[in-house]
Amino acid sequence: MTDDPTPHPALNLDDAVHQKTRLALLTVLDEAGRADFPFLKRTLSLTDGNLGRHLDVLATQSLVEVTKGYEGRRPRTWVAITPKGREALAAEMAVLATLLRRFHRTPPEAP
């Protein structure tokens, strides 16, 4: 252990982004740009309610934009990552990369 006075990088994880389903949603949306509700539900093996709740959290933080409309006569919900969402995802990934580097540099403790 060191007496390093700087805060541990794990303290920089964003609670809104770091939760595994929300992190997965932002990652999928970053890859796809925009996706419909059934695609997200199927890709991440989520229920309607679970997906809806996580999207509400992300939308409240302005990390995603949810658009409801129609495709033909069928109602459709589309979700897109916002620029703020891309920034939040990039910041989260940077913190995770820092933690991973620290993990691989730390020698295992002797038993």
Side-chain angles (χ1 to χ4, degrees), residues 53-69:
R53 178 67 189 121
H54 287 293
L55 289 176
D56 285 345
V57 170
L58 293 171
T60 299
Q61 299 285 324
S62 300
L63 302 178
V64 299
E65 181 178 67
V66 178
T67 307
K68 295 183 182 269

Side-chain angles (χ1 to χ4, degrees), residues 10-89:
L11 297 174
N12 293 322
L13 292 169
D14 181 334
D15 290 337
V17 175
H18 189 70
Q19 194 281 340
K20 90 174 180 180
T21 300
R22 293 192 290 270
L23 183 59
L25 281 165
L26 288 172
T27 303
V28 168
L29 290 170
D30 184 61
E31 294 167 357
R34 182 176 104 138
D36 67 1
F37 198 90
F39 174 81
L40 294 171
K41 183 178 153 183
R42 185 176 59 254
T43 301
L44 299 174
S45 299
L46 300 170
T47 64
D48 287 350
N50 196 292
L51 176 55
R53 178 67 189 121
H54 287 293
L55 289 176
D56 285 345
V57 170
L58 293 171
T60 299
Q61 299 285 324
S62 300
L63 302 178
V64 299
E65 181 178 67
V66 178
T67 307
K68 295 183 182 269
Y70 287 88
E71 189 172 275
R73 298 176 74 179
R74 303 183 88 192
R76 189 67 65 147
T77 300
W78 292 94
V79 184
I81 191 168
T82 64
K84 183 177 177 181
R86 285 191 201 288
E87 289 174 18
L89 179 61

